[in-house]
Amino acid sequence: MIGTVKKAPGGRSPLLKQIKAYIKRPKTALERFKLLGIPYYLILLVLVIIPMILILFYAITTPNKDDAILLTLNNFIAFFQEEGFVGVLWDSIRISGITTIVTLLIAYPLAYIICDYKLKKQALIILLVSAPMWVNMLLRTIAWKQILSTAGPLNAALGWLFGMEPINFLGTDFAVVLGMVYIFLPFMVIPIYNNLSKIDNRLIEASLDLGASRKYTFFKVTLPLSLPGVLSGVTMVLLPSATTLVVPRFLGEGRYFLIGNLIEQKFLKSGLWNYGAAISIILVVVLFIILFLTKKVDRFHKDEEDD
Amino acid sequence: MKIKKTRKFNFSVIYVILVLIFCYAPILSLVIFSFNSDRSLTNFQSFSFIWYDKLFNDGQVMTAVLNTIFVAVVATLVSTVLGTLAAIAISRMKKVMRDGLLNLNNLPMINPEIVTAVSLLLLFLSLGIGQGYLTMILAHITFTIPYVIVTVYPKLREMDENMVEASLDLGATPLGTIWHIIIPNIKTVIISAASLCFTLSFDDFVISYFTAGTVNNISIYLYTLRRLEPTINALSTIIITGIIIVLVLSNTIKHKKVNDNEDED
C-alpha cells in the first residue's frame, strides 16, 4: 500500500484515499446534520446552477455541423436585428410600464387606507386581496376574456346603461393592461402594505405636531419611508408582466407579441435554442440591473435611518 | 402607522370596496356562468349542471386534472422532505456558507419564470432526457424547494438550540433528535411549506409548458385550447370551491389553536 503512494506522488490515489478517509472518519452530530442537505445541494447544482450556465453557453455559441462549438455574439445581434424587434420591445416596455404604474396607483392608496384599520380587519383585507392568487392564473385571465368579449357582461351592462354598441375590448392595450393589473395587483399591495404598516407612527405624529400639514407629512415622511416597499412591488410586477405568456394569449387577440412570447416562439416553435437563450440572458441582465438599483435605494435608506 | 380620522364621511371605505369588487368580479362571473344552461355569457337562461356533466365526460380535461394533482403531490412530498432536511443542515452552517446558499436558493424565486423554464429545458435537451412526467416533476421540485427553505429556515433559527443539544447529550442519535425534537417543533411551518408547494405546483404554467413535452396539466390544457367553453367555468367553480374549503378549514383550525392556547394560559 505504501508503494502505491510512493508511485504516484501528488497523483490521484493519495487524494482519493484522503477523500475516502475524510468520508469515513467518525462524525460529530453537527457534521451529520450538514449531510442532510446533500440531496438539496445536488438539486441546486444540477437543476439550478448548471442550467443557468447552459443558458449562457447556448447564448454565446452557435450550432455547427462538425460538432465544433463556435463562440459568437450573433445570437444577441440577431435579437436586435429581428424584424419586428422594435415592436416586441416597445410593446413589452409599454405594457409592463403602464401595468406597473397602474398597479402602483391602485395598490398604494389601498395599502395606505387599510393601515388605519384595526389589525384584524387589516389581515382580513390582505387575505381577501391575495386569495384570488390561489385560483389558476389562466382561469382568472379567461374570466376577463369572457367579461370583455363583445358578447360579454361588460358590453351588456354598457349597452343597457348607455345604449352603447358592443365594443371589442379584446386586443387593445386596455384589455391587456387590465388583465395584467388584475394578475399582479397582490404582488404590489403586499410589499407596500408590509412596509407602510411598519412605519413608526410617532414619526408621523411628530410631523403633524410640529405644524406640517397632512399633505406635507405624507410627501416628506410617509412616502419616502415607504419607498423600499414600493420598489420591491415594482420589481415583482415589472419583469413578470413583460414576460408573461398568458395575458397576451387570451386578451391580446394575437395582436400582442411580448418578450415572453418571443422566447416561447424561438424555443418551442422554431427550435432556435441559441437565439432563445440569448434573449433569456438579456432578461437576466435586466433583472440584475433592477435588483442592483433596488438594493442601492434600500441601502441609502438604511444609511439614512442610522443617521 | 396610524392616523386618527378627522373626516366624517370616509371615501376610503368606498375605495377599498371598489378594489375588492375588482378582485372578485371575474371570479364571480366564472362561477355564475358555470350554472347557465346556455352558452351565452350575458343572459342567464336557467340554472343547470350541463357544463359540469360535460366536464366530467371530457377525457382530456380529466387527464389534465389527474396529471396536475399527481405532479403536485409528488413534487410537494419530495420538496417538503428534502427542503426541510436542507433547512436543518443550513441552520447549522457557518455564516458565510449559509448566506451563500440562501442567496443561491433565491435564484429560482427571483428569476423570471420563463428563464427558469428555458434553463431547465436546455438541461433536459442537453442530457437527452425525454420530456414527460419525470422532467415535469424535476422542474416542479426545482421551483418549489426554495419556498420550503425560506418558510422552514426562519423557524429553525427561532428554535431553542438547547433542546437539540440536550437531546444529543442525553444520547439520542442525530436522526432521533430530528424526528423527536426538531420536526415536532417546526410542524406548523412544514405544513404551510407543503401547502405552498402544492398550490405553486398546481397553478404552474410556464415551467410545465416548457418541460412537460406532451404531458398536459390544467394550465397547459387551457393555454392550448382552441375554443373556450363554459366547461372551463365549471372547472373553475370546482377549484374555487376547493380553495374556499381549505381556507375556511385552515382558519378555523388556527382559531381553535389560538383559543386553546389562551385557555391554557
Side-chain angles (χ1 to χ4, degrees):
Chain A
M1 289 311 272
I2 298 162
T4 51
V5 177
K6 271 183 186 164
K7 244 188 237 165
R12 264 194 168 174
S13 74
L15 187 68
L16 268 179
K17 253 189 199 164
Q18 275 178 3
I19 293 172
K20 264 186 200 162
Y22 181 76
I23 293 171
K24 280 185 186 158
R25 81 199 186 285
K27 293 169 196 72
T28 62
L30 190 76
E31 279 172 331
R32 282 197 202 172
F33 274 137
K34 280 186 193 163
L35 296 179
L36 295 170
I38 288 175
Y40 167 72
Y41 309 148
L42 280 176
I43 289 174
L44 265 186
L45 178 69
V46 179
L47 293 166
V48 177
I49 300 169
I50 293 179
M52 287 307 287
I53 296 171
L54 271 176
I55 293 194
L56 188 63
F57 175 77
Y58 272 91
I60 56 168
T61 57
T62 179
N64 197 290
K65 277 170 199 145
D66 316 325
D67 270 353
I69 295 156
L70 290 176
L71 282 178
T72 175
L73 284 176
N74 282 343
N75 300 316
F76 293 96
I77 295 166
F79 173 64
F80 291 103
Q81 285 176 342
E82 166 105 9
E83 200 187 332
F85 149 78
V86 180
V88 172
L89 202 66
W90 169 237
D91 272 359
S92 305
I93 294 173
R94 189 184 75 238
I95 297 289
S96 63
I98 299 174
T99 301
T100 310
I101 293 168
V102 175
T103 320
L104 182 61
L105 288 179
I106 298 177
Y108 198 102
L110 182 77
Y112 187 81
I113 290 167
I114 58 179
C115 280
D116 263 358
Y117 292 171
K118 286 194 185 98
L119 272 179
K120 261 196 178 163
K121 210 169 163 195
Q122 287 185 19
L124 176 71
I125 290 172
I126 287 295
L127 177 73
L128 282 175
V129 170
S130 50
M133 282 202 292
W134 290 35
V135 182
N136 191 309
M137 176 182 163
L138 283 93
L139 292 173
R140 283 179 290 150
T141 313
I142 290 170
W144 277 112
K145 188 184 167 81
Q146 293 180 344
I147 292 174
L148 296 174
S149 67
T150 35
L154 182 64
N155 267 312
L158 287 177
W160 183 68
L161 284 173
F162 309 107
M164 279 159 71
E165 288 291 305
I167 310 163
N168 191 10
F169 291 108
L170 298 174
T172 61
D173 272 16
F174 171 73
V176 176
V177 169
L178 180 73
M180 292 214 184
V181 168
Y182 182 73
I183 299 288
F184 294 112
L185 187 63
F187 294 100
M188 189 67 93
V189 174
I190 292 166
I192 295 178
Y193 164 75
N194 281 340
N195 191 311
L196 277 176
S197 61
K198 272 183 209 134
I199 292 178
D200 191 343
N201 201 28
R202 285 171 301 182
L203 291 174
I204 290 149
E205 276 167 10
S207 166
L208 293 174
D209 286 350
L210 291 170
S213 67
R214 274 180 180 277
K215 213 163 147 194
Y216 193 81
T217 305
F218 175 77
F219 284 108
K220 287 288 172 186
V221 182
T222 316
L223 189 63
L225 284 174
S226 64
L227 222 50
V230 171
L231 278 170
S232 71
V234 168
T235 330
M236 288 170 87
V237 175
L238 197 62
L239 221 49
S241 63
T243 56
T244 173
L245 302 174
V246 176
V247 178
R249 156 85 171 78
F250 288 108
L251 303 176
E253 293 274 89
R255 262 171 255 163
Y256 285 83
F257 199 75
L258 306 188
I259 203 138
N261 305 84
L262 188 66
I263 296 178
E264 175 199 14
Q265 189 203 41
K266 295 304 165 203
F267 263 93
L268 303 178
K269 291 177 184 140
S270 350
L272 296 168
W273 305 344
N274 302 75
Y275 184 12
I279 309 172
S280 311
I281 287 291
I282 294 172
L283 274 182
V284 175
V285 171
V286 172
L287 169 78
F288 277 98
I289 292 173
I290 296 176
L291 286 180
F292 175 76
L293 291 177
T294 319
K295 274 257 163 71
K296 246 193 151 171
V297 174
D298 253 356
R299 203 162 293 152
F300 169 72
H301 262 270
K302 271 181 199 134
D303 291 348
E304 264 192 344
E305 277 164 29
D306 291 344
D307 295 343
Chain B
M1 199 195 69
K2 245 183 189 127
I3 305 166
K4 272 166 218 148
K5 281 169 216 148
T6 45
R7 262 169 282 163
K8 272 182 195 161
F9 182 69
N10 225 330
F11 285 102
S12 62
V13 179
I14 297 174
Y15 184 79
V16 174
I17 291 170
L18 280 178
V19 173
L20 289 179
I21 290 175
F22 174 64
C23 288
Y24 286 91
I27 289 173
L28 265 178
S29 128
L30 278 175
V31 174
I32 291 169
F33 290 107
S34 75
F35 297 113
N36 196 356
S37 62
D38 192 63
R39 200 178 294 273
S40 161
L41 292 170
T42 37
N43 50 25
F44 194 89
Q45 217 101 47
S46 63
F47 191 87
S48 91
F49 283 108
I50 52 163
W51 301 112
Y52 291 85
D53 196 41
K54 283 209 172 142
L55 178 75
F56 288 112
N57 288 316
D58 188 333
Q60 247 195 316
V61 183
M62 291 332 269
T63 323
V65 171
L66 289 180
N67 283 342
T68 308
I69 294 173
F70 171 69
V71 171
V73 167
V74 177
T76 301
L77 283 177
V78 176
S79 286
T80 310
V81 172
L82 297 186
T84 305
L85 292 179
I88 294 171
I90 291 172
S91 69
R92 259 135 241 287
M93 279 177 175
K94 293 208 178 77
K95 195 177 181 311
V96 184
M97 273 288 275
R98 200 173 63 209
D99 288 352
L101 263 174
L102 288 175
N103 274 327
L104 208 55
N105 180 60
N106 282 338
L107 196 61
M109 292 192 292
I110 56 166
N111 248 344
E113 268 189 309
I114 199 158
V115 174
T116 310
V118 163
S119 75
L120 286 165
L121 175 65
L122 282 176
L123 176 79
F124 298 138
L125 288 171
S126 318
L127 294 177
I129 305 175
Q131 286 135 262
Y133 289 103
L134 177 70
T135 51
M136 196 173 165
I137 289 169
L138 284 174
H140 280 229
I141 293 169
T142 312
F143 79 80
T144 50
I145 207 167
Y147 291 92
V148 179
I149 308 250
V150 295
T151 316
V152 173
Y153 171 76
K155 186 81 185 172
L156 279 168
R157 299 281 293 170
E158 267 173 33
M159 227 185 97
D160 190 352
E161 197 47 35
N162 292 328
M163 283 200 284
V164 177
E165 266 165 35
S167 161
L168 291 171
D169 285 349
L170 292 170
T173 59
L175 281 180
T177 306
I178 288 172
W179 189 249
H180 294 291
I181 307 293
I182 299 181
I183 302 274
N185 260 296
I186 56 171
K187 207 169 56 192
T188 45
V189 286
I190 294 178
I191 293 168
S192 53
S195 45
L196 187 59
C197 280
F198 189 86
T199 14
L200 286 170
S201 168
F202 192 86
D203 289 343
D204 176 65
F205 164 61
V206 179
I207 293 170
S208 308
Y209 183 52
F210 275 72
T211 55
T214 54
V215 177
N216 260 5
N217 69 359
I218 295 174
S219 305
I220 301 173
Y221 167 79
L222 291 170
Y223 190 74
T224 49
L225 204 60
R226 284 273 162 72
R227 231 181 99 82
L228 296 173
E229 293 265 340
T231 43
I232 302 305
N233 296 55
L235 178 67
S236 316
T237 307
I238 294 172
I239 293 176
I240 291 162
T241 315
I243 292 169
I244 292 172
I245 292 172
V246 171
L247 272 181
V248 169
L249 274 183
S250 67
N251 265 324
T252 35
I253 291 170
K254 227 185 258 166
H255 273 282
K256 203 170 165 254
K257 268 212 180 124
V258 172
N259 289 339
D260 288 352
N261 287 346
E262 275 167 8
D263 290 346
E264 276 169 30
D265 295 340

